């Protein structure tokens, strides 16, 4: 069984690899020749691949069952090595592999180990310091640079540039799953322990940290809009994510479209099982990638 969800694509000299937490909308990865190595999700005694064997609907149902334990794990170095060898043997001259923050997962470390084993001179591994479409937009930038025929170093720089500019903002119903999974510290978890408090969080230096707390879901949506507008500027790329909350996600997206009519792109998608396992049902998030300062066009 192949660990990658796409087949080799040698149309460009630099192949782009990512992991399933990029949460690229359906069809985007395959249509652009992006190769995705899935993380794993354990639901009770069953282990499945994120986005292939276990999706968000099954995850929400599993989380509602208190008798089922849900855990996640990184891909193995062997899974990455298999994909890298397949791509290089298929004609790629170099590989740029872009992944979720190393502060949140061992995925980046597994990719680095595989790159060192396969060919460290030809495989470049990028820590996006982000997740979801914060990672996804970095991957798309790498893909665009590769399709333009740029060498591996420039493709890596394109991904790193987007990753450095992006902001990831989100609200959760509570912080217990993030605390239990070690994605947020015990002290920070106290931030959301009061009744009727909706914690607002963001990524800083690749870590999840507390940002604000509000009293209602409606206020959480409004603050996400306000914070995203402050971060965006003209020509930004945005994404709205949710888990089991499609109506709220569409409401959030509509408000952003109204406030940011000059946005270059706004995607709406449900997060996958790995992110959802830690954020929990009701999660709502916004990713903002401001346009590069010296870019006169859209981002």
């Amino acid at each position: 069984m192949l660990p990658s969800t796409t087949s080799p694509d040698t149309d460009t000299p630099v192949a782009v690899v990512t992991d399933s937490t990029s949460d690229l909308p359906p069809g985007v990865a395959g249509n652009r020749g992006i190769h995705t190595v899935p993380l794993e999700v354990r639901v009770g005694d069953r282990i499945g691949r994120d986005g292939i064997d276990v999706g968000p609907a099954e995850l929400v149902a599993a989380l509602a069952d208190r008798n089922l334990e849900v855990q996640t794990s990184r891909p193995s170095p062997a899974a990455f090595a298999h994909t890298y060898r397949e791509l290089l043997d298929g004609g790629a001259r170099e590989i740029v592999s872009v992944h979720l923050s190393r502060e949140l997962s061992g995925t980046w470390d597994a990719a680095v180990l595989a790159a060192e084993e396969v060919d460290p001179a030809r495989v470049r591994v990028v820590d996006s310091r982000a997740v979801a479409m914060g990672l996804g937009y970095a991957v798309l930038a790498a893909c665009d640079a590769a399709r333009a025929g740029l060498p591996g170093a420039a493709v890596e720089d394109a991904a790193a540039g987007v990753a450095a500019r992006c902001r990831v903002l989100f609200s959760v119903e509570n912080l217990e799953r993030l605390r239990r999974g070690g994605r947020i510290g015990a002290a920070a978890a106290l931030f959301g322990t009061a009744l009727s408090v909706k914690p607002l969080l963001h990524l800083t230096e690749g870590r999840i940290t507390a940002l604000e707390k509000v009293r209602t879901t409606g206020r959480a949506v409004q603050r996400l809009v306000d914070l995203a507008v402050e971060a965006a500027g003209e020509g930004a790329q945005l994404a709205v994510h949710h888990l089991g909350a499609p109506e709220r996600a569409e409401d959030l997206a509509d408000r952003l479209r109204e406030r940011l009519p000059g946005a270059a792109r706004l995607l709406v998608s449900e997060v996958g099982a790995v992110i959802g396992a830690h954020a929990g049902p009701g999660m709502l998030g916004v990713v903002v990638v401001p346009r590069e300062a010296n870019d006169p066009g859209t981002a």
Side-chain angles (χ1 to χ4, degrees), residues 234-236 262 264 290-299:
E234 190 72 14
R291 188 174 67 196
E292 194 170 8
N294 60 358
D295 182 0
T298 57

Side-chain angles (χ1 to χ4, degrees), residues 8-23:
D9 180 347
T10 58
D11 290 343
T12 61
V14 180
V16 176
V17 175
T18 188
D19 60 74
S20 57
T21 68
S22 59
D23 282 335

Side-chain angles (χ1 to χ4, degrees), residues 58-84:
E58 182 178 349
L59 175 79
V60 170
L63 293 177
D65 185 344
R66 295 189 178 184
N67 295 318
L68 279 178
E69 185 177 7
V70 178
Q71 297 179 326
T72 64
S73 59
R74 72 178 192 179
S76 67
F80 280 114
H82 179 102
T83 297
Y84 297 158

Side-chain angles (χ1 to χ4, degrees), residues 92-271:
R93 292 202 294 269
E94 295 180 273
I95 295 170
V96 174
S97 200
V98 191
H99 300 289
L100 81 158
S101 172
R102 74 178 84 172
E103 301 291 341
L104 302 178
S105 169
T107 300
W108 179 88
D109 302 275
V112 169
L113 288 172
E116 291 173 350
E117 175 188 333
V118 173
D119 192 338
R122 299 172 69 192
V123 183
R124 299 168 181 268
V125 182
V126 180
D127 175 9
S128 73
R129 298 202 165 199
V131 71
M133 280 303 297
L135 164 60
Y137 276 130
V139 172
L140 291 178
C143 181
D144 289 344
R147 285 181 151 191
L150 297 179
V155 173
E156 178 183 17
D157 287 346
V162 166
R165 299 197 307 278
C166 89
R167 287 207 64 190
V168 179
L169 309 154
F170 62 106
S171 68
V172 293
E173 292 298 309
N174 62 70
L175 298 174
E176 181 58 20
R177 293 189 184 282
L178 289 169
R179 184 195 66 78
R180 288 207 312 258
R183 268 64 181 184
I184 193 167
L190 292 173
F191 183 84
T193 56
L195 292 175
S196 302
V197 164
K198 304 295 181 186
L200 296 183
L201 309 166
H202 65 155
L203 290 184
T204 54
E205 298 299 318
R207 298 184 182 92
I208 298 173
T209 60
L211 182 60
E212 298 180 10
K213 52 187 175 183
V214 296
R215 290 287 177 186
T216 66
T217 298
R219 182 60 179 159
V221 171
Q222 187 56 51
R223 284 303 293 149
L224 286 173
V225 171
D226 292 341
L227 292 165
V229 169
E230 289 174 13
E234 190 72 14
Q237 299 185 95
L238 300 105
V240 171
H241 292 299
H242 72 95
L243 181 66
E247 295 85 1
R248 274 187 281 160
E250 287 297 340
D251 175 48
L252 174 53
D254 287 342
R255 296 191 200 190
L256 288 170
R257 291 186 187 102
E258 182 178 349
R259 297 276 300 274
L260 295 168
R265 183 186 296 169
L266 197 164
L267 301 173
V268 181
S269 66
E270 191 165 25
V271 295

Side-chain angles (χ1 to χ4, degrees), residues 11-42:
D11 290 343
T12 61
V14 180
V16 176
V17 175
T18 188
D19 60 74
S20 57
T21 68
S22 59
D23 282 335
L24 291 161
V28 170
N31 290 342
R32 287 174 172 256
I34 297 166
H35 307 267
T36 303
V37 178
L39 278 74
E40 292 186 342
V41 183
R42 180 189 291 272

